[in-house]
Amino acid sequence: MDDCLIIGAGPAGLTAAIYLARYHLSIRMFDSGSSRAAMIPRTHNHAGYPEGVAGTELLHLMLTQAERYGARREPVKVTRLAQDGDRFVATTDHGTHRARTVLLATGVVNHRPHGLLPEVHDPALARGLLRYCPVCDGYEVTDKRVAVIGTGERGMREALFLRGFTRDITLIAPEAEHLLDSACAEALDDAGVVRVDGPCGNYAIEGDRFALDTARGRMAFDSVYPALGSRIRSHLAVEAGARASEDGCLEVDDHQRTSVPGLFAAGDVVKGLDQISHAMGEAGVAATTIRNLLAEQCPLRR
């Protein structure tokens, strides 16, 4: 039986693996290969990398560090998590594993514009023509021509946030006419954000721009941000009895404990700022709380 199972191998899961391995605990980390951080072409706001760092490179370095201290990585997907008394059983594609504690760090999945095919999406993302995180890379679109695909309060908030980086912002409705109340419309007008109705479609990379069809005709931009929400991957914890918000974010206390004793969560699967630095901080707190919990159950001594 392991001391802790870590489900997810993004920045949160890997940080926890480093901490827990250095606490001389027996851990096993499950990696389904779908960390959102791997999609980052190059992040420039992660401290310690003046020239930026690619998401895949950062994940590789963190995994190398975790494995140096004995962390074990299983390249499999966990399909079920259940309680067995005061212990946990994780079912994977290749069998089951038991542990005293579990840390869920499964993150979220961004909703992509309907009809945006991988052969367009992936190279556009790699070139910075398509972006998902204005907190991460709004600086990179400073004074550029930018579009936000979205509507309602979510679309408005993203457009207004990006207005702090450029004055050339267009908010495009994803399906038909915009769904904006008077307060949202007034805020957009006050900021000088152009509004264009949908539907969006026929996405393509045209030269150095990302182009798409709208109700106003074909338009092209230096960068486009989909503001369509995301799917929180919290179902394993919820099925094990953990409480979550209406949108699926796991509820945790100040020590990253869920409502299920022994089950912890960190990173984007928890409500908060979806940032690498934030996920790593939560993971450090969770890992240390896990260590102290296990020490209460049985003294940890060399």
Side-chain angles (χ1 to χ4, degrees):
M1 180 179 297
D2 291 303
D3 290 318
C4 184
L5 299 179
I6 301 172
I7 305 176
L14 287 164
T15 297
I18 293 168
Y19 273 64
L20 291 168
R22 286 174 54 82
Y23 288 143
H24 294 295
L25 296 175
S26 171
I27 62 171
R28 191 184 305 270
M29 180 173 59
F30 298 107
D31 181 6
S32 66
S34 59
S35 170
R36 188 167 61 155
M39 297 171 56
I40 301 173
R42 182 164 294 270
T43 177
H44 293 274
N45 69 342
H46 187 52
Y49 294 90
E51 303 303 320
V53 60
T56 51
E57 180 184 357
L58 180 63
L59 293 175
H60 171 73
L61 291 171
M62 294 179 73
L63 177 59
T64 299
Q65 186 174 352
E67 290 180 334
R68 177 170 296 177
Y69 296 106
R72 290 169 294 172
R73 170 184 168 271
E74 303 277 351
V76 297
K77 180 179 180 180
V78 176
T79 56
R80 184 172 184 269
L81 179 65
Q83 293 179 269
D84 182 14
D86 60 350
R87 300 293 187 250
F88 295 90
V89 178
T91 302
T92 74
D93 302 330
H94 298 276
T96 60
H97 300 272
R98 295 168 57 83
R100 296 173 176 85
T101 61
V102 171
L103 172 63
L104 199 77
T106 44
V108 305
V109 178
N110 292 116
H111 293 316
R112 301 182 182 185
H114 179 71
L116 178 52
L117 300 176
E119 52 264 36
V120 176
H121 175 279
D122 295 351
L125 190 69
R127 291 174 57 179
L129 303 177
L130 187 70
R131 302 174 182 272
Y132 284 94
C133 181
V135 174
C136 308
D137 52 29
Y139 184 89
E140 275 63 56
V141 301
T142 297
D143 296 333
K144 292 186 177 181
R145 179 170 168 77
V146 175
V148 174
I149 298 176
T151 193
E153 187 176 351
R154 177 185 288 117
M156 178 207 68
R157 289 200 307 267
E158 189 129 333
L160 294 183
F161 188 90
L162 284 161
R163 185 63 179 82
F165 298 97
T166 179
R167 67 181 62 186
D168 193 344
I169 300 286
T170 302
L171 179 63
I172 306 173
E175 296 177 357
E177 295 181 355
H178 272 292
L179 302 174
L180 299 165
D181 60 27
S182 58
C184 287
E186 183 177 349
L188 291 166
D189 289 342
D190 182 67
V193 174
V194 176
R195 300 199 299 274
V196 175
D197 288 336
C200 298
N202 195 20
Y203 304 99
I205 298 172
E206 297 180 0
D208 292 327
R209 286 190 163 185
F210 189 85
L212 66 160
D213 289 341
T214 72
R216 191 177 294 185
R218 192 141 185 89
M219 305 182 76
F221 301 89
D222 297 316
S223 280
V224 173
Y225 284 83
L228 304 172
S230 57
R231 175 174 59 85
I232 292 68
R233 294 191 282 199
S234 58
H235 64 281
L236 291 172
V238 171
E239 290 171 1
R243 288 196 300 267
S245 64
E246 288 186 5
D247 59 1
C249 290
L250 292 176
E251 297 180 5
V252 297
D253 65 9
D254 292 342
H255 296 277
Q256 305 304 129
R257 294 177 288 215
T258 72
S259 58
V260 175
L263 177 58
F264 297 74
D268 296 350
V269 73
V270 175
K271 188 174 183 62
L273 188 65
D274 289 355
Q275 290 288 290
I276 293 173
S277 58
H278 193 249
M280 293 170 68
E282 289 184 338
V285 170
T288 304
T289 307
I290 289 169
R291 184 265 172 212
N292 292 339
L293 173 64
L294 293 173
E296 291 174 3
Q297 297 173 357
C298 181
L300 300 178
R301 297 168 182 166
R302 295 294 285 171

